[in-house]
Structures are given as structure tokens and as C-alpha cells.
Amino acid sequence: MKLKTNKVNLPCISVMGEVAPPKRRFPYTIDYKGEPKVFPGTGGIIYNIKVGDRVFGWVGDHLEPGVSIKVKDEDENRALNTYACIGNSAKVISGEAKGEKGFVTGKHGGIEHILVYFPEEVLEKLAIGDKIQIKAIGQGLAIEDFPWVKFYNLDPDLLARIDPVIKNGFLYFPVTHTLPPEIMGSGLGGATTSTGDYDITTQDEGMIKKWRLDELRFGDIVCLQDTDNTYGRCLRKGAVSIGVVVHANCVIAGHGPGVTTIATSSRGRIKPILNKKANIAHYLLG
């Protein structure tokens, strides 16, 4: 049975950002072992990393797949980062690539970027400063007569493609990984989950192996056990959250692949179903 949502009552509003240039705050990135590194980080256009690719093994830190966009005005950028949702359609409205279309793949907190997928041939036409407009819809998404799961940052059409099932009072959601709360780090305690992400920590090699973290891909849908993301990000026994992996692995202590929340249940009314195909690239690109 298809889920009945409130999609018809959700506003679809335009938000816009510009392709953001890479930035460096310090000449070196100091990894968790105390070693200085010099390699790329957030921002810009990454030509050879896209949604569906592996998050481990890249020579970089917090790398953002595809295109990173932002607005210089803080309030406008907050609107962009709040209203844009994973799966929303994006359109280039300036520059050589004008008219080309893609979709939102994630949100990156701290740097406050929205991440967007475009095909490789479009990336070659894009330039830093080009404007990208998004048809933002999804905040406030709900399933009718099922108030125990709260949704954030998710396009209603993508939810329909993922096609989770309600059975015996639970929402069964396809995921590639089920993860414990003790490996969640940077971003924990954030006041809201309607923007940004928080990181799976990857400094313990044993935990990486145990939870198959090295198999993670950009766009993977994952389950966070004993984690409540209703009004921020916290540990709560019995709660369950669902998120999308949005950025690459990191070398800084307390950091790792970032996860943007798409669903959460403080009462634990979400049941994860392991499915290797549970990646937004599968649902949006086929």
C-alpha cells in the first residue's frame, strides 16, 4: 500500500545559491594522529566524485560530491539550507550550463552548503559563481494518520520512490547500514535537524570493520539506533533515526562521513530493512 502523505499541502518555494569556491582557514589540516595534511576539503565543483561513489579512500577531508552551493547573505543562506531537501530538483540559471538540471543530494553543516548532483557533462560547463535555483519542497512532510515518525529534509517524491511500508504500527525503511549511537560525533547536540548533518566517527579501525563503514557510499540511507533527531541530535534509548550519507570521510578527531537526517521516531516506530540498493542514486538515477 502506498503511503498517504500531506504532499498536496506542502508549499514548493524557490531558493537559490551560487557555486561556492573552496576555502582554507589554515595552511594545514591536523589529523587525529597529530599529523599535518595538505589536500582539498569543502566547496567548489568536484568532477570525479558523485552520489553513489565510495566515501572512503579519497585524499581529502569532508569532501562534498558534485557541486557545493551557498549564499553570501547569512539569512538567505539559512533559508536555502533549511528549505532545500534531498531529492529536490535543481536548475542552473546562469552561465554556460544555464537550463541544465540536477537534484539535491545533501546538506553540510558548519560550512552550511547544499550539495547538488549534475551529470558529468554539466559539471564541465559549470563555473564558480554560477547560480543554481532549487524547487524546495519537503519540510513539514508527514504521513497521514502516522504521527510517530517525523520527517526532515526529504522531497516527498523521493519518499514515494523509497517506498517504506507501514506494518503492525511500524514504518519499515530500507537502509544499507544500521549503526549504534556511540559512533556519532561532530554535530551531536545540534539544536535542529532541519539543516546540516552530523558525522559518523571513524578513528577506531575496529569499529570501521565491525559496522562495515568502509563500504559506505555517498547517498546511502542508514539507520541510527537509539538516536532521537526530533528537536536536535541526541542519544535516546529506543529512538530510531534515518539519514543519508552526504560527505566524505574525514581525518579530524570526532569526524567522519556526514549524515543528514530524513526521518526520526522518538518512540522507535521505525524498523530498518537491510537493502544494498538503499541509496538515493538508485532511486533518482535508476
Side-chain angles (χ1 to χ4, degrees):
M1 179 183 294
K2 294 293 183 181
L3 297 178
K4 293 183 179 180
T5 71
N6 64 342
K7 175 187 173 181
V8 68
N9 294 321
L10 297 178
C12 182
I13 187 171
S14 63
V15 288
M16 186 180 69
E18 296 181 357
V19 179
K23 290 186 177 181
R24 287 199 67 84
R25 297 174 182 171
F26 307 103
Y28 298 98
T29 299
I30 308 299
D31 71 12
Y32 73 97
K33 297 179 180 179
E35 299 176 357
K37 305 288 185 181
V38 180
F39 42 43
T42 58
I45 302 164
I46 297 188
Y47 300 96
N48 60 337
I49 304 178
K50 62 183 182 300
V51 64
D53 288 345
R54 56 187 168 85
V55 301
F56 273 73
W58 300 103
V59 182
D61 190 82
H62 289 84
L63 293 169
E64 300 169 337
V67 179
S68 305
I69 68 171
K70 192 172 185 175
V71 184
K72 293 179 181 178
D73 180 90
E74 184 177 348
D75 290 340
E76 291 178 9
N77 195 57
R78 186 178 295 111
L80 168 65
N81 277 266
T82 300
Y83 301 152
C85 291
I86 294 174
N88 286 170
S89 63
K91 184 177 181 180
V92 185
I93 61 171
S94 70
E96 185 181 348
K98 184 177 180 180
E100 299 286 1
K101 295 181 179 181
F103 57 84
V104 175
T105 65
K107 304 181 175 189
H108 191 177
I111 192 67
E112 306 306 329
H113 283 168
I114 291 295
L115 314 181
V116 186
Y117 166 85
F118 288 102
E120 290 182 12
E121 61 271 19
V122 178
L123 298 181
E124 293 295 336
K125 299 177 183 178
L126 284 169
I128 289 174
D130 282 350
K131 295 181 179 180
I132 295 172
Q133 186 159 290
I134 295 166
K135 288 186 175 180
I137 183 172
Q139 298 295 32
L141 176 64
I143 298 174
E144 293 183 3
D145 301 319
F146 199 78
W148 302 283
V149 175
K150 189 172 182 65
F151 293 92
Y152 290 99
N153 312 313
L154 182 63
D155 188 295
D157 288 342
L158 178 54
L159 175 64
R161 294 184 186 189
I162 296 170
D163 197 24
V165 176
I166 295 175
K167 184 178 180 181
N168 299 325
F170 292 89
L171 182 67
Y172 287 78
F173 217 104
V175 300
T176 62
H177 294 67
T178 297
L179 305 175
E182 61 264 29
I183 62 173
M184 300 310 296
S186 177
L188 187 64
T192 179
T193 50
S194 61
T195 64
D197 68 303
Y198 70 135
D199 289 4
I200 303 167
T201 58
T202 54
Q203 288 74 57
D204 188 304
E205 294 183 3
M207 295 293 274
I208 292 174
K209 183 177 181 180
K210 179 178 180 179
W211 299 103
R212 301 185 295 109
L213 302 181
D214 54 348
E215 298 176 15
L216 286 169
R217 301 164 296 165
F218 300 105
D220 273 354
I221 300 170
V222 298
C223 174
L224 308 178
Q225 295 282 16
D226 295 323
T227 299
D228 187 4
N229 285 182
T230 308
Y231 300 107
R233 307 180 183 102
C234 64
L235 168 70
R236 186 174 183 181
K237 289 292 185 180
V240 180
S241 295
I242 302 292
V244 174
V245 177
V246 297
H247 68 66
N249 188 36
C250 314
V251 301
I252 303 172
H255 290 253
V259 178
T260 293
T261 304
I262 59 172
T264 189
S265 177
S266 60
R267 298 188 181 184
R269 291 295 193 94
I270 299 173
K271 294 285 188 182
I273 301 297
L274 290 178
N275 184 338
K276 292 183 178 180
K277 293 183 178 180
N279 184 287
I280 65 169
H282 168 71
Y283 299 114
L284 296 172
L285 296 173

